[in-house]
């Protein structure tokens, strides 16, 4: 055998091996996400403040009795504010009811610069919901369930509603400025 034939065979064998390797199914190199399950609003708020990437509701959460019946205060707002914070919130068939009688609280969820929030509902019945009820909104501002300021939001499941008192028409589910919102099938607004 000549050196040229040996080289050709070696190259042929290497090419065959490369093709076979690309066709072989690979096991996923990324581990399953580690979900933080929350059962109270404080646990949810702490998980967001701690920049957890995967948060799942373990039970329905109602903030009506929060702060001795006032509901949420401005300091209690779910704020995704760290640059490049990417979070997935799984409603898991549960309800997150955001309520406030504080005139300074008019956003339920706030997504800031370069942060991304994905909201999904992994439950088979797809009953996950986020609702907002805001009273006494000042200065003619709208009550807003989800506010985006240069952030991104992906809705992959769930029902989203907001109500404003005393002006019922002064409510917005999603309000965005210089932001991107993706709404997939199965989402109800």
């Amino acid at each position: 055998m000549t050196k040229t034939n040996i080289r050709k065979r070696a190259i042929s064998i290497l090419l065959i091996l490369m093709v076979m390797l690309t066709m072989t199914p690979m096991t996923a190199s990324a581990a399953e996400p580690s979900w933080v399950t929350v059962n109270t609003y404080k646990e949810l708020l702490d998980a967001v403040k701690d920049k957890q990437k995967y948060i799942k509701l373990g039970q329905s959460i109602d903030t009506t009795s929060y702060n001795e019946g006032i509901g949420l205060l401005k300091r209690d707002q779910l704020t995704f504010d760290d640059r490049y914070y990417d979070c997935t919130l799984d409603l898991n068939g549960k309800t997150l009811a955001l309520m406030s009688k504080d005139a300074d609280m008019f956003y339920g969820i706030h997504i800031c610069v370069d942060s991304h929030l994905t909201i999904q509902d992994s439950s088979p019945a797809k009953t996950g919901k986020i609702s907002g009820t805001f009273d006494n909104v000042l200065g003619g501002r709208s009550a807003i369930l989800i506010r985006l300021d240069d952030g991104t939001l992906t809705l992959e499941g769930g029902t989203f509603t907001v109500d404003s008192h005393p002006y019922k028409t002064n409510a917005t589910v999603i309000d965005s400025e210089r932001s991107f919102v993706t709404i997939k099938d199965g989402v109800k607004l």
Side-chain angles (χ1 to χ4, degrees):
M1 252 191 188
T2 65
K3 285 184 180 181
T4 306
N5 286 341
I6 292 173
R7 283 187 196 149
K8 286 182 182 179
R9 276 199 177 176
I11 291 173
S12 296
I13 291 171
L14 284 174
L15 286 173
I16 290 170
L17 287 173
M18 288 175 38
V19 168
M20 288 175 60
L21 284 175
T22 60
M23 296 176 78
T24 305
M26 298 285 218
T27 57
S29 60
E32 284 292 315
S34 178
W35 289 91
V36 173
T37 301
V38 297
N39 295 302
T40 66
Y41 190 75
K42 181 173 181 346
E43 289 175 356
L44 175 58
L45 193 58
D46 287 345
V48 171
K49 286 180 180 177
D50 292 342
K51 311 297 184 226
Q52 296 294 327
K53 286 189 65 75
Y54 300 98
I55 304 169
K56 181 182 288 195
L57 297 185
Q59 66 183 28
S60 291
I61 298 172
D62 186 350
T63 61
T64 303
S65 61
Y66 214 68
N67 292 312
E68 300 175 5
I70 296 171
L72 302 176
L73 300 174
K74 186 76 170 165
R75 68 173 184 239
D76 304 317
Q77 183 179 72
L78 280 179
T79 302
F80 300 83
D81 64 351
D82 193 22
R83 281 187 164 308
Y84 312 113
Y85 177 29
D86 188 358
C87 180
T88 299
L89 175 62
D90 184 356
L91 300 177
N92 193 28
K94 312 296 190 257
T95 297
L96 174 59
L98 305 173
M99 189 283 294
S100 180
K101 293 180 181 177
D102 181 24
D104 242 2
M105 176 70 176
F106 42 87
Y107 305 158
I109 298 171
H110 191 195
I111 305 166
C112 301
V113 178
D114 295 328
S115 290
H116 177 77
L117 175 62
T118 298
I119 301 174
Q120 66 183 32
D121 182 9
S122 66
S123 70
K126 303 296 181 202
T127 54
K129 179 179 182 178
I130 299 179
S131 65
T133 304
F134 301 96
D135 288 359
N136 304 319
V137 177
L138 283 177
R141 298 185 127 200
S142 290
I144 300 168
L145 184 64
I146 303 172
R147 168 71 184 174
L148 290 96
D149 289 307
D150 292 315
T152 58
L153 171 67
T154 302
L155 300 179
E156 295 180 350
T159 300
F160 302 87
T161 61
V162 65
D163 196 12
S164 176
H165 296 284
Y167 309 107
K168 301 258 183 225
T169 59
N170 198 23
T172 304
V173 174
I174 299 172
D175 183 52
S176 68
E177 185 172 324
R178 299 176 309 276
S179 302
F180 294 97
V181 178
T182 303
I183 301 173
K184 299 193 175 179
D185 286 340
V187 173
K188 297 176 188 147
L189 298 174

